Amino acid sequence: MSNNCINHEYYMRVSDRILALIRRIFHNNPEFRHDSLKHVARFAPVIPFMGGRPDLSKTLNRVVTFADGSNPLHFGCPIMLAAGANKTAKRICDFANMGFGGISVGTATRHVREGNTHRPRIGFIEKDRAIHNSMGLNNDGVDAVTRRVDTQITAAHRVQMCVGISVAETPGLTDENEKLKDIVESFSIAYRVADYVEINLSCPNTGENRLDLDMTLVNKIFTAITDYRNKQPVRKAIYAKLSPDMPENHTATIMDMLVKVGVNGVVMGNTYPTKKVTDLPVHVKYDDLTPLRADGDRGGMSGRPLYENMVRNVKFIREHYPQMSVIACGGIDHGYKIYDLIKLGVDAVQCYSVVAFRWMAAHAMRKELEEALSKDGFKSLADYDAKNSDAKNPKG
């Protein structure tokens, strides 16, 4: 297993500098800038200088299989748009224009949520190429999200996109049985149509205690979820989205439980909690994270500073739980990073913050990943998988 995961730097193109100018123009309207991604995705094919169309070549296709017989996941490329970018599940296929080979929509809760009420809820940290946010799980509810996925998933598959739905418990519930019922209902609704379901255990944006800190409840949740799956005619993969700030012993405790109940994989990780951001290699000062400080330190940071921490967590999981599928998430902004993670045994990656700092980031990372494969003598990602037994063995 290779350990060479360098925090690769990318060259700032003219288009990236234009993107930086746009961020400055909308400095006082960060949520508008955040929300504009859907418009960029939609109109990318018709704006000449954007160069955004689905890449239907087979070079980076990847199929993730599971030893328990869960449906395989088919990616046009192993670069996914992370949950939080398309909370509504509207116009999913537009994101293929940006180069993504998969998407996790949501995160959705059982009922509609407006999110945190303070403004602003998001900000950009230029020097660190990071985003800090405390959106508060604003979403249209899992019923609406699932209906939209159901009407689009066939078209999404045609443009080589795998579609997962991310779900979480509804904040504000205090009774453990209510929490359990709430998230199992959300899971069962999403399970009907998604290619896979992602359980967000680790959102720091609501001010509620994170689920991944309550092992008794987490055990009950995943036992109930896997019991539900076992009764369904179609078996689909289940992923748990974990926080990047946990110590190894707590990660091991969660992983032991996930393996025991039959969860297929993990998304490592999530937004890095506000109170701990100084643990990361950042230039920004804690007191300068105004949106996060203003709401009682809810939320956290995403972007480039999370990469090295994420890699440490991925290495630990791959070394001790090789049977688990891993989707890496945190600070991924270069195709060479993706190749390094693939060599660690990662099945796919999720990214989001990078689209604010690199012009058509997924297309750029595709080219870099193809270049990295070519340098090592591989004609395609499938060629790499065929020649590396760790990569092609079924997981979970």
Side-chain angles (χ1 to χ4, degrees):
M1 182 181 292
S2 171
N3 287 322
N4 297 321
C5 286
I6 301 167
N7 200 355
H8 296 278
E9 184 59 270
Y10 55 85
Y11 174 73
M12 290 286 288
R13 300 165 297 173
V14 172
S15 54
D16 298 324
R17 300 182 190 281
I18 294 173
L19 195 56
L21 176 61
I22 294 171
R23 290 195 303 274
R24 287 196 293 273
I25 292 171
F26 293 103
H27 175 73
N28 293 322
N29 297 282
E31 280 201 38
F32 173 80
R33 169 64 185 83
H34 174 82
D35 196 48
S36 66
L37 179 65
K38 63 187 179 186
H39 303 299
V40 174
R42 181 177 182 179
F43 295 109
V46 298
I47 300 176
F49 64 87
M50 292 196 69
R53 293 186 180 278
D55 185 340
L56 302 182
S57 65
K58 306 294 185 182
T59 308
L60 297 180
N61 283 184
R62 191 168 227 198
V63 180
V64 178
T65 57
F66 304 97
D68 70 348
S70 293
N71 283 355
L73 302 180
H74 296 263
F75 296 96
C77 76
I79 306 173
M80 302 183 67
L81 185 63
N86 186 346
K87 294 174 178 288
T88 64
K90 295 178 180 177
R91 303 191 66 91
I92 291 171
C93 297
D94 288 350
F95 293 92
N97 296 332
M98 301 187 73
F100 290 102
I103 186 171
S104 177
V105 298
T107 294
T109 52
R110 183 65 187 87
H111 303 289
V112 178
R113 274 185 58 82
E114 293 183 3
N116 295 331
T117 57
H118 66 278
R119 298 294 188 275
R121 300 182 293 186
I122 190 170
F124 297 95
I125 309 170
E126 291 293 331
K127 197 168 185 179
D128 291 308
R129 281 173 278 176
I131 296 174
H132 52 123
N133 89 89
S134 57
M135 299 294 288
L137 283 179
N138 54 308
N139 71 97
D140 292 343
V142 70
D143 287 306
V145 167
T146 298
R147 283 196 302 271
R148 292 166 187 153
V149 171
D150 192 28
T151 61
Q152 299 173 77
I153 196 163
T154 300
H157 291 164
R158 284 200 294 267
V159 291
Q160 299 185 12
M161 290 189 76
C162 176
V163 182
I165 299 179
S166 172
V167 299
E169 91 287 0
T170 300
L173 299 177
T174 56
D175 182 77
E176 184 176 285
N177 290 328
E178 288 183 0
K179 289 184 177 182
L180 180 60
K181 179 175 181 289
D182 175 87
I183 196 165
V184 172
E185 283 185 357
S186 292
F187 170 82
S188 64
I189 294 167
Y191 187 88
R192 298 171 195 163
V193 303
D195 290 324
Y196 74 92
V197 181
E198 177 182 308
I199 312 298
N200 186 347
L201 298 177
S202 50
C203 177
N205 289 340
T206 64
E208 304 280 335
N209 289 330
R210 292 181 351 222
L211 280 179
D212 60 1
L213 300 178
D214 185 346
M215 283 305 303
T216 300
L217 180 56
V218 168
N219 195 357
K220 290 180 180 179
I221 287 170
F222 280 100
T223 298
I225 281 173
T226 52
D227 285 347
Y228 172 88
R229 178 178 66 174
N230 291 340
K231 298 173 184 176
Q232 304 310 304
V234 176
R235 189 175 183 87
K236 297 181 181 181
I238 302 171
Y239 282 79
K241 188 163 189 174
L242 304 182
S243 182
D245 70 318
M246 297 185 299
E248 281 189 358
N249 62 337
H250 191 67
T251 300
T253 299
I254 290 181
M255 292 300 300
D256 288 341
M257 180 274 298
L258 294 175
V259 170
K260 182 178 179 181
V261 300
V263 171
N264 299 89
V266 294
V267 180
M268 177 51 78
N270 206 335
T271 306
Y272 206 92
T274 303
K275 291 183 179 179
K276 298 183 178 181
V277 294
T278 53
D279 295 342
L280 300 173
V282 294
H283 296 93
V284 69
K285 294 181 179 179
Y286 175 63
D287 291 337
D288 293 337
L289 299 176
T290 308
L292 306 186
R293 301 306 312 283
D295 70 352
D297 291 330
R298 300 177 195 174
M301 179 183 289
S302 61
R304 188 174 176 86
L306 277 66
Y307 181 71
E308 293 173 5
N309 175 81
M310 177 272 292
V311 168
R312 285 194 297 270
N313 286 319
V314 166
K315 287 180 179 179
F316 175 79
I317 293 171
R318 290 295 301 139
E319 179 179 353
H320 296 282
Y321 304 93
Q323 72 273 44
M324 293 290 275
S325 172
V326 177
I327 298 176
C329 182
I332 298 165
D333 58 8
H334 197 292
Y336 280 33
K337 289 183 179 181
I338 299 170
Y339 186 51
D340 290 342
L341 289 163
I342 286 172
K343 289 188 287 185
L344 281 179
V346 162
D347 288 317
V349 304
Q350 291 182 357
C351 53
Y352 179 17
S353 298
V354 63
V355 300
F357 296 95
R358 291 195 78 179
W359 191 267
M360 302 303 286
H363 278 301
M365 291 190 290
R366 275 179 177 260
K367 292 177 181 178
E368 291 157 353
L369 176 55
E370 290 175 355
E371 181 180 278
L373 286 164
S374 179
K375 284 183 176 180
D376 277 357
F378 300 110
K379 297 178 181 178
S380 65
L381 187 52
D383 184 27
Y384 171 90
D385 287 343
K387 294 175 181 176
N388 290 271
S389 58
D390 286 346
K392 67 181 180 181
N393 285 340
K395 309 286 179 63

